[in-house]
Amino acid sequence: DFVPTIINEENSQTIQDVIEQRAKALNMFLTDVYSEEKTIVPDDLIFGSEYFNPDLVGHLPRNNIFIQVYGADLLYNGKTFYVIEDNLRVPSGVTYAVKIREICDRYLKVIRKGYKLESYQPWIHLYNAMKDATATKDPFMVLLTDGPIGAAYFEHMYLAKLMGIPLVEAGDIYVTDSGHIAAKIPGEGEVQIDVIYRRVEDLDIFVPGLTKAYIDGKIALVNAPGTGVADDKIVYSYVPQLIRHYLSEEPILEQPKSYNPTVPSELESALQNIENLVVKERGGYGGIGTVIPRDHPESKKKELITKLKQSITEDPDNYLLQ
């Protein structure tokens, strides 16, 4: 919105507590997954996830922290907030709020009247989290972008500027003979990189050998590879149970009612009520693979629902309904 949303102190604290609770539980889940420990999520769902990487089993990030950056999709109904998705692979969005605050401070001072605004400098926390991802005392850190073709390129540039670290593309970095990662940085020459804040998904397509360098302990990556298992839509349906299991706490906020089609009773309920649900593909992100039957015109809705029911019945592992 042109006029920024105002979030009061109570709601802000609730959101902070919810994100901390969910991130902790999901991080502990990832630690178990890549330590080959049994989790409450069925093994076939974990190993069947397109984001599970068997090569990473036994290779845990420093301090077992997979998730430095967590993006929650929130829904507000006028009374309470709901987390409708957990984004853990390469979540974006933090810098847009920074820029909006900057513009408001410059041009819309009237909006501030009567309010005490909290400081908002998330890049400081990100910078410190990146430093904490490596044991190197004075690490050289960069932000890896997919370049101007990427939808979030503005954020990549702005975040790198705010943190005072170089912005690099795939063609700028390479694996050295010793297996480390290096880049030619203007004004610096060839520099060995210790930490990469990655804003690309398929690491080895962008930089062949990067995952091996991570496994060999030659580079720290933020977020750590393998986090996509916890970004899985079906795993989302288990998050309340994960919170109870790992933290011995009740979820601070409820999730919207979710149907996991791999459970026969939930599949039946979902198919009966599909017209009123949101259908999500398990590995989708950014709205890709999401269908809301209710939003389609009546003339097309019946055919759409028939196709969805068939797809979900034939491939229940690939969907979540909310």
Side-chain angles (χ1 to χ4, degrees), residues 18-64:
V18 166
I19 287 176
E20 184 176 336
Q21 185 184 58
R22 294 178 75 91
K24 278 184 178 179
L26 288 166
N27 198 88
M28 294 170 81
F29 164 71
L30 286 166
T31 301
D32 277 356
V33 167
Y34 289 105
S35 301
E36 296 187 282
E37 296 289 337
K38 187 74 176 172
T39 80
I40 60 173
V41 179
D43 287 348
D44 59 332
L45 292 181
I46 294 173
F47 303 140
S49 171
E50 64 179 294
Y51 300 116
F52 172 72
N53 188 335
D55 294 338
L56 297 174
V57 172
H59 300 280
L60 302 181
R62 186 167 185 259
N63 298 324
N64 294 346

Side-chain angles (χ1 to χ4, degrees), residues 226-266:
T227 56
V229 178
D231 196 303
D232 189 296
K233 298 294 185 293
I234 291 185
V235 170
Y236 164 90
S237 67
Y238 287 90
V239 171
Q241 297 175 55
L242 293 174
I243 290 170
R244 295 184 185 102
H245 175 72
Y246 287 115
L247 305 179
S248 300
E249 299 172 0
E250 283 299 308
I252 296 169
L253 291 181
E254 294 181 17
Q255 292 186 177
K257 173 63 179 172
S258 299
Y259 298 87
N260 175 357
T262 64
V263 179
S265 60
E266 294 192 25

Side-chain angles (χ1 to χ4, degrees), residues 72-190:
D73 284 352
L74 298 175
L75 180 69
Y76 184 59
N77 66 359
K79 295 180 181 179
T80 188
F81 287 89
Y82 297 91
V83 178
I84 59 173
E85 281 189 17
D86 303 291
N87 299 291
L88 308 172
R89 285 174 286 160
V90 284
S92 67
V94 68
T95 310
Y96 301 104
V98 176
K99 180 55 75 173
I100 289 167
R101 283 286 292 268
E102 183 183 305
I103 291 171
C104 289
D105 286 346
R106 192 181 307 171
Y107 300 112
L108 302 175
K109 294 191 189 316
V110 65
I111 291 178
R112 299 183 55 141
K113 288 186 177 178
Y115 294 96
K116 176 180 177 288
L117 297 188
E118 290 291 333
S119 173
Y120 185 66
Q121 298 179 311
W123 64 89
I124 296 174
H125 302 296
L126 175 57
Y127 184 85
N128 289 334
M130 289 175 65
K131 288 184 70 174
D132 190 54
T134 178
T136 304
K137 202 166 187 181
D138 187 21
F140 192 88
M141 308 191 297
V142 300
L143 191 157
L144 174 61
T145 177
D146 52 1
I149 62 167
Y153 186 59
F154 156 76
E155 179 170 51
H156 303 170
M157 290 192 301
Y158 195 40
L159 260 180
K161 179 182 177 182
L162 289 169
M163 291 192 291
I165 64 175
L167 181 71
V168 299
E169 297 183 32
D172 300 324
I173 64 178
Y174 48 89
V175 181
T176 66
D177 292 341
S178 64
H180 290 87
I181 305 297
K184 290 182 178 177
I185 306 295
E188 301 266 358
E190 184 178 274

